[in-house]
Amino acid sequence: MIIAHLSDLHIDGGQRAEDRVAAVMDYLGELPVDAVVVTGDIADHGTAEEYARAAELLKHPARVLMCPGNHDVRAAFRTGLLDLPASDEPVDLAQEIGGVLFALCDSTIPGRGAGFLADQTLDWLDGVLSGGDGPALVAFHHPPVEVGVPLVDAIRQSGEDRLAAVLARHPRVKALLAGHVHTGASTTFAGVPLRIAPGVVSGSLLPVEPGADRGWAEGGPLEYGRPPALLLHVLHDDGRVTSHHRTVPR
C-alpha cells in the first residue's frame, strides 16, 4: 500500500497557498496511491470560504482522509469538508482501506495553538483499534514529542503518556502520521514510527540553519521559498513503513 501524506496547507483565500496545493494534487493525480492523508491546518482561518476552496482542490481518485489542525475550526471543518452537521466536538474519523485501518484523531484545543487528545478521543481510538488485528495507521496534527524546532515544540501535543498507554495495548499500529512542524521529520514515539509531513505552504528551520533567528517581521523561522513537499509512505506486507520525501515543482 502507498499512502500520500501532506500537511499544513493553510489555504487563506490567496493565490500563493492555492497554487501550492494545486501543484501537489496535480503531482498526486499522476500517481496510483491507495490513500491521501492530510494531517491538519487545511485552512488558515477556518472560514467556510477556505474549506469550500479546499474541497475543490483536495480531489483524488483515492480516498482523501483529513484531520484538523490548530488553524482549523471544528464546526466549519465538518460542514465544509466532511458533509457532516456542525459541531464543536472533536473530529475523530476511522476508515478501512484495503484491509488497513486509518484512525484520524483531533488533537486540537479550540482557540489555542497547542495540542491535546481529549479523553473521549483516546477512548474512541482505543475502541476502533480493538475492532480488529490488521495493520493500522493513526494520524493527528500535533506530534507528541519534541522534534528540535522550538517554534512548534512549544505547542506540541501534551498528555502524551495517555496516548502511549493506548498504543501499548495495540501493536497493530504500524506508524503515527502528523504535521504541524512544516518540515519533514522522522522519529519514534512509544516504540512506534512517527512520520511528520513537510508543510505544503512553507518550510521551517532548525536553530542551526541560516535565518532561524529572524524576527517575525522578516518571516520568523519559516522558509517560504522552498517548493511544496509531501511524504509517500510504503506500508509493506511485513508491517514496515518506508517513507519517501518528495518536493513538487511549481
Side-chain angles (χ1 to χ4, degrees), residues 17 35 41 55 57 79 149 155 204 231 239 246:
D41 279 0
L57 290 166
T79 57
V149 179
I155 51 173
S204 64
L231 297 179
R246 292 290 181 269

Side-chain angles (χ1 to χ4, degrees), residues 37-64:
V37 176
V38 189
T39 49
D41 279 0
I42 294 166
D44 197 45
H45 308 99
T47 67
E49 293 77 14
E50 290 171 349
Y51 290 123
R53 190 67 184 120
E56 294 173 354
L57 290 166
L58 294 173
K59 292 181 178 178
H60 192 275
R63 185 69 182 268
V64 179

